[in-house]
Amino acid sequence: MEYIPILVLIISFVGLLSIGTPVAWSIAISSLLTMLVSIPALPAFTTISQRMATGLDSFALLAIPFFILSGELMNNGGIAHRLIAFAKTLVGALPGGLALINVISAMLMGAIAGSAMASASAMGSILGPEMEKEGYDKEFGAAVNITSATTGLVIPPSNILIVYSLASGGASIAALFLAGYIPGILTGLFLMVVASFWAKKKGYNVGKRSSFKEVFRTFVDAVPALFLLVLVIGGIVAGIFTATEASAIAVLYSLILGFIYKEITLEKLPKIFLDSSATTAIVMLLIGASMSMSWVLSYEHIPQEISTGLLGISDNKIMILLIINLILLLVGIFMDITPAVLIFTPIFLPVVTKLGIDPVHFGVIMILNLCIGLCTPPVGSVLFVGVGIAKTSIEKVVRPLLPLFVAMIAALFLITYIPQLTLWLPGLFDL
């Protein structure tokens, strides 16, 4: 009998997904069906709806709609063009220069906008045609754009780091933000190395070396956008404001910057607000549904059983982290990053904390791992955006994607087994 709830949960969730039910509704309905196994219908319906509502009752979650809005403002405010121009002067003369520009620009854009989708859309639409013009394969350009866009989910400010903080029961957002820098940059560097080797092998064109004057000019042009990182992260780390307050400041700064650059007008604002509202609604529905499933898992004592099972296999930290990474890589293929973080954090966090692993370190491992899933079918949202922007197909992009996947997995395992890469910066600021 004790295995019936988990079987109902898994079978109903997979079944709903397989017939095309949206992820949020699949999560909520499968959670409800699982509760119906244990309690009568009225309390089950009441409990699920109540848990969806109370799951969103968090001050920290206010930061998400603000960061989404600031990302939309940045995406429409001419930021991408300036970041690309700056990146071009830095690495344009290296083998695969345009691919390297894509990676650096995506890291900067992702860090500023906090959205992999926004980064993939902006970089793909601007750099994609330019790469084709210079003789790069369309599929290679799309593969680089897709994988590099996910680095912005690790480099702060990042909405998914805030979601993990909520799911973990209070891991410091400031510590998570600082912890994401080195892993995000390291992943970007690994992608750049692979992209450079691939470009050299294919014999793609190499750009001209930029003068110091050009580097300085493009840097000065990009400084107002880059200052947002200093403003937001510096303010949080210094204790001047919370992550939620920082997100509101980011919106105000992005709006002012868009008007200064003359890329945002009063006529454009309604569409920007509407787009950010639609994205926020999707994210919040996913969070509410996922919180209800997390509660159902806890009610049925599933995390404790999984914890006991994993520790029964081995109490070796290296082996347990390997197993969890493999499970998360599989989960990322079939589930979007937000529900995956909310559902699996309560399951795996008790296991790793028993082994003495820092929750901040584990949070970065989990998010970096699930970022790989965003680039894989059948639910890889960034994959579909990147392929759509490039006007190609998933089948054609797979081949150049594979070595970039290897680069991301190599970075993941380095971050997993060298915790200092994640914890050094938070430790520096006593967070």
Side-chain angles (χ1 to χ4, degrees):
M1 286 293 288
E2 62 188 40
Y3 295 108
I4 291 176
I6 187 65
L7 286 174
V8 170
L9 184 71
I10 293 170
I11 292 168
S12 60
F13 180 64
V14 172
L16 287 163
L17 281 180
S18 65
I19 61 173
T21 309
V23 175
W25 293 113
S26 298
I27 292 169
I29 294 168
S30 58
S31 301
L32 175 62
L33 292 173
T34 306
M35 288 301 295
L36 288 170
V37 173
S38 304
I39 60 176
L42 184 59
F45 275 94
T46 305
T47 301
I48 294 299
S49 57
Q50 183 187 53
R51 290 296 159 184
M52 286 182 72
T54 55
L56 297 174
D57 185 16
S58 168
F59 180 72
L61 282 181
L62 277 173
I64 291 178
F66 282 124
F67 276 131
I68 288 172
L69 177 55
S70 71
E72 284 289 340
L73 289 166
M74 282 284 179
N75 206 24
N76 287 275
I79 303 303
H81 291 280
R82 288 163 176 82
L83 295 177
I84 288 170
F86 175 49
K88 196 169 187 177
T89 60
L90 294 178
V91 295
L94 297 175
L98 283 175
L100 305 188
I101 291 165
N102 195 322
V103 177
I104 291 179
S105 302
M107 288 165 68
L108 294 172
M109 184 69 183
I112 291 168
S115 166
M117 303 272 280
S119 178
S121 177
M123 296 305 131
S125 55
I126 296 168
L127 275 171
E130 193 171 338
M131 290 178 81
E132 277 191 75
K133 200 186 299 178
E134 291 294 321
Y136 286 73
D137 289 339
K138 184 191 292 186
E139 289 72 27
F140 172 68
V144 171
N145 182 38
I146 290 160
T147 49
S148 61
T150 61
T151 57
L153 296 179
V154 186
I155 301 172
S158 165
N159 290 334
I160 199 63
L161 288 171
I162 297 170
V163 171
Y164 173 79
S165 172
L166 174 73
S168 66
S172 165
I173 294 176
L176 285 164
F177 276 8
L178 283 178
Y181 274 113
I182 293 174
I185 293 169
L186 187 68
T187 305
L189 289 173
F190 274 47
L191 290 172
M192 288 171 71
V193 169
V194 171
S196 189
F197 271 112
W198 184 281
K200 199 169 183 179
K201 181 183 172 184
K202 295 286 184 178
Y204 294 137
N205 293 336
V206 177
K208 295 177 182 177
R209 189 178 297 277
S210 300
S211 66
F212 176 77
K213 186 178 178 181
E214 287 176 305
V215 175
F216 182 74
R217 180 181 57 78
T218 55
F219 171 70
V220 169
D221 202 27
V223 158
L226 296 172
F227 181 70
L228 179 64
L229 298 176
V230 179
L231 181 67
V232 171
I233 307 303
I236 294 171
V237 172
I240 299 170
F241 38 70
T242 65
T244 305
E245 292 161 348
S247 65
I249 290 166
V251 169
L252 183 61
Y253 184 85
S254 305
L255 186 61
I256 293 168
L257 197 59
F259 281 119
I260 290 172
Y261 282 158
K262 297 180 180 177
E263 299 276 354
I264 292 177
T265 60
L266 289 173
E267 290 76 21
K268 285 185 178 180
L269 284 179
K271 185 178 185 305
I272 292 171
F273 290 142
L274 187 63
D275 288 346
S276 61
S277 299
T279 305
T280 299
I282 293 166
V283 171
M284 289 303 180
L285 181 60
L286 274 170
I287 290 173
S290 301
M291 292 300 283
S292 72
M293 182 176 276
S294 295
W295 187 87
V296 169
L297 291 169
S298 177
Y299 179 81
E300 300 292 350
H301 306 291
I302 292 167
Q304 293 90 326
E305 289 177 18
I306 292 174
S307 177
T308 304
L310 280 174
L311 293 172
I313 295 170
S314 172
D315 59 358
N316 184 294
K317 190 188 297 187
I318 294 172
M319 184 57 66
I320 292 295
L321 282 173
L322 177 63
I323 293 168
I324 290 174
N325 266 324
L326 291 173
I327 293 171
L328 288 175
L329 283 169
L330 185 64
V331 165
I333 294 172
F334 300 103
M335 191 179 289
D336 196 43
I337 191 167
T338 301
V341 167
L342 286 165
I343 292 166
F344 287 92
T345 298
I347 292 175
F348 291 134
L349 191 58
V351 179
V352 297
T353 48
K354 279 182 185 176
L355 297 172
I357 296 164
D358 192 290
V360 170
H361 178 213
F362 180 68
V364 174
I365 292 171
M366 174 175 256
I367 289 159
L368 190 59
N369 189 311
L370 293 170
C371 280
I372 298 170
L374 293 174
C375 309
T376 58
V379 295
S381 52
V382 179
L383 172 68
F384 290 113
V385 169
V387 165
I389 293 285
K391 295 182 174 62
T392 183
S393 66
I394 292 171
E395 293 79 9
K396 291 178 181 177
V397 171
V398 166
R399 188 163 176 264
L401 264 178
L402 290 176
L404 295 166
F405 278 148
V406 172
M408 293 179 81
I409 291 169
L412 169 65
F413 278 90
L414 266 183
I415 299 305
T416 300
Y417 294 114
I418 308 177
Q420 292 81 1
L421 292 171
T422 304
L423 300 175
W424 177 69
L425 269 179
L428 204 62
F429 290 91
D430 295 321
L431 291 172

